[in-house]
Amino acid sequence: MGTVDLIVRSIDVGFRNTKLVVAADERRIECEVFPSVAPTANGRNLSEALGRNRNTVTVTVEGIEYEVGSDALLAEKPTPTQTMGSDFCLTSEYLALVRGALHRMQVDIIDLLVVGLPVSTFQLRKAELVRRLQGCHPVGAGRVVDVREVKVLAQPHGALIDYALSTGRMDAVRNQRSLIIDCGGRTFDFIVTQAFKVYERRSDDTKRGMYDVLHVLATEIGRALRTEFTDYDKLDLALRTGTQPLIFGRPYDLEPHLKAARKIPEEAVSYLRRYVEDGSDIDDIILSGGSAFFFRGAICAAFPHHVIHELPDALYANVRGFQQFGMQKLTQAWRRSATAPAPTAA
Amino acid sequence: MANRRPSAEAVVRVNFQVAVSVNPLLASDLKRFTLGRSRHARLLALAMIGLMSERTKLDSGSSLPNLAEAGKANAQVNANRANARLADRDFAEIGE
């Protein structure tokens, strides 16, 4: 019996980073990330003049060219101006980020594209986003990618699927109530599920993310040094690696400002507690998202009786879950067609 | 000659108790041993395994995604993945 190769790919466009799957099979999912900034391309590329191309691609959306990719911050103004409203997924910048991700995937046809939305905008924007992403996309360098079908999931649902499948706890998840927390760049999303079904009234997001943590730190540093400090990425890297960032060329001790910065996770968790209280009816708490490392402490303090399951490579947990969902969905659809040749979803 | 006690810098002193109700798994493991000295040795072994496991996890970057290396491929290999399957009911609940 012959086989048919079906291409499934996934993208998780966050307010801070865009995560995507570039290759996948049953045992391996390969992910990439680039910053969620899409400055308009102005043709001026100093790196190129110096003999090195920026690792970006120029994509066109509604007649305007945007530069997207790993080095897009080099083309961005000193203070990146990300769009952060609830209609982010309807903006030209969002579509530019998706097209930049499609470019990275190196395929011409995608049978199923799985993407995510924050909890608060999921029901509101799901249908519009499907319409927007289905069809042909110019992805730069003269290439076009044909996206045949689109599925949209709530972002934390991806983490739950990844947790259930990759830890071998599928049966446990099916029989328990879970709280999935997605600590993102700009939002703190959470869903409560019974098996995979979402309790909508106990699921929400709040605008408390790593961006807000960095903003507090930058403001505090600016006040202390009497300057306008805006290098959020330098602070982000310092927090993740436990090092002191160089400011004016000298190592700067962040410790005096961390108390103020930790207020952000505390506020986010206070908001969450309004929905789940002490979590006495929650069996499992699953932590995902690229900012999980900074929010972990506040979450552990708020739920001292629970074991907090932090997913490995938490930054990619959502997109890994989307990919596994998509691959199994397509395989299931083909299995139902008894006469069709066996598919290979990848 | 008087016994020479180790200096404060050379040892880390921990007075350890574990409540069965809080940590039933650890408590039942330690209760297998009747001597305090054996429990101490077992606890030390478990702590070292935990520490090394945590270090391995951190070194592989699993808990600390390094955004300085944004764009670099990140491969995930997991044997569980090949066996686990979403069922029709799961797809329905996810919102199909």
Side-chain angles (χ1 to χ4, degrees):
Chain A
M1 193 156 71
T3 61
V4 178
D5 287 332
L6 297 173
I7 305 293
V8 180
R9 289 293 178 265
S10 306
I11 306 173
D12 181 20
V13 181
F15 289 116
R16 194 162 169 78
N17 290 298
T18 297
K19 288 76 66 179
L20 62 140
V21 170
V22 290
D25 58 34
E26 289 238 317
R27 303 187 74 85
R28 183 168 169 271
I29 295 174
E30 203 170 303
C31 307
E32 286 189 5
V33 60
F34 60 80
S36 290
V37 294
T40 50
N42 57 13
R44 179 169 166 260
N45 189 338
L46 189 60
S47 307
E48 198 169 349
L50 294 171
R52 182 184 174 273
N53 282 330
R54 282 201 290 259
N55 187 8
T56 55
V57 62
T58 301
V59 295
T60 306
V61 179
E62 292 163 5
I64 297 173
E65 290 189 327
Y66 295 88
E67 197 169 339
V68 181
S70 304
D71 290 343
L73 284 168
L74 298 177
E76 178 65 294
K77 295 178 192 121
T79 309
T81 51
Q82 283 106 325
T83 310
M84 287 178 175
S86 60
D87 59 351
F88 176 47
C89 68
L90 304 180
T91 62
S92 298
E93 285 81 2
Y94 182 96
L95 193 53
L97 294 168
V98 168
R99 288 180 174 171
L102 294 175
H103 176 89
R104 298 287 307 163
M105 293 172 185
Q106 301 291 330
V107 290
D108 296 325
I109 294 171
I110 294 175
D111 295 284
L112 176 59
L113 178 67
V114 187
V115 295
L117 277 177
V119 174
S120 61
T121 55
F122 174 64
Q123 290 297 348
L124 186 68
R125 304 291 185 208
K126 183 170 72 166
E128 277 175 284
L129 187 58
V130 169
R131 280 197 296 274
R132 207 159 183 237
L133 298 186
Q134 211 157 301
C136 291
H137 294 270
V139 297
R143 286 179 50 220
V144 173
V145 175
D146 182 7
V147 176
R148 303 220 162 133
E149 191 182 352
V150 177
K151 295 275 182 207
V152 183
L153 302 183
Q155 282 166 337
H157 236 149
L160 177 63
I161 296 166
D162 184 55
Y163 171 73
L165 292 175
S166 61
T167 61
R169 289 179 57 85
M170 178 60 87
D171 287 339
V173 168
R174 283 184 184 132
N175 292 300
Q176 70 186 22
R177 189 167 293 175
S178 309
L179 166 64
I180 303 98
I181 305 170
D182 179 13
C183 309
R186 188 63 180 88
T187 58
F188 179 90
D189 289 53
F190 53 89
I191 58 173
V192 174
T193 62
Q194 181 67 44
F196 286 96
K197 201 166 194 170
V198 177
Y199 282 96
E200 289 186 20
R201 287 177 173 232
R202 299 184 74 187
S203 307
D204 200 357
D205 66 45
T206 178
K207 303 285 181 285
R208 295 282 184 281
M210 201 60 199
Y211 182 90
D212 302 278
V213 171
L214 301 175
H215 182 71
V216 167
L217 278 178
T219 306
E220 292 275 317
I221 292 167
R223 196 174 294 143
L225 299 180
R226 298 177 186 219
T227 183
E228 193 180 342
F229 188 77
T230 56
D231 195 343
Y232 288 15
D233 290 300
K234 188 179 267 189
L235 297 177
D236 188 282
L237 188 62
L239 288 177
R240 286 171 196 279
T241 54
T243 54
Q244 293 189 350
L246 291 179
I247 300 178
F248 292 122
R250 291 185 188 150
Y252 187 91
D253 183 11
L254 294 176
E255 193 59 42
H257 308 308
L258 286 182
K259 194 175 172 190
R262 288 195 185 107
K263 286 279 173 209
I264 300 295
E266 287 166 13
E267 287 167 10
V269 171
S270 293
Y271 188 80
L272 165 66
R273 289 280 303 247
R274 284 161 51 185
Y275 287 78
V276 301
E277 297 178 353
D278 66 352
S280 55
D281 65 330
I282 306 278
D283 302 308
D284 244 351
I285 299 181
I286 300 154
L287 189 55
S288 75
S291 310
F293 77 99
F294 197 78
F295 285 68
R296 185 196 302 135
I299 292 165
C300 289
F303 302 103
H305 302 298
H306 288 84
V307 175
I308 312 288
H309 300 276
E310 189 173 346
L311 292 170
D313 280 318
L315 179 71
Y316 299 111
N318 293 347
V319 81
R320 278 196 311 258
F322 297 165
Q323 181 69 23
Q324 291 169 93
F325 169 86
M327 287 163 67
Q328 295 203 13
K329 184 71 197 162
L330 266 198
T331 307
Q332 183 213 43
W334 276 80
R335 277 207 186 109
R336 291 221 165 113
S337 170
T339 54
T344 311
Chain B
M1 202 163 89
N3 276 342
R4 190 174 290 170
R5 296 183 66 130
S7 68
E9 290 81 20
V11 294
V12 178
R13 190 166 289 279
V14 180
N15 193 358
F16 187 81
Q17 282 187 24
V18 56
V20 177
S21 59
V22 177
N23 271 300
L25 191 65
L26 180 60
S28 70
D29 187 274
L30 293 177
K31 275 164 77 176
R32 291 186 299 136
F33 306 94
T34 49
L35 292 176
R37 195 176 52 202
S38 306
R39 287 177 179 175
H40 173 265
R42 174 65 178 161
L43 191 63
L44 200 61
L46 290 175
M48 283 308 293
I49 292 167
L51 193 61
M52 286 160 70
S53 160
E54 188 183 75
R55 288 256 170 101
T56 309
K57 195 175 161 196
L58 291 178
D59 288 346
S60 68
S62 58
S63 289
L64 302 172
N66 187 352
L67 297 190
E69 295 189 1
K72 191 176 173 183
N74 161 57
Q76 274 294 311
V77 181
N78 196 314
N80 291 322
R81 200 166 270 149
N83 303 321
R85 289 264 173 272
L86 289 164
D88 287 354
R89 191 184 141 198
D90 303 326
F91 283 117
E93 288 182 349
I94 288 166
E96 279 298 279

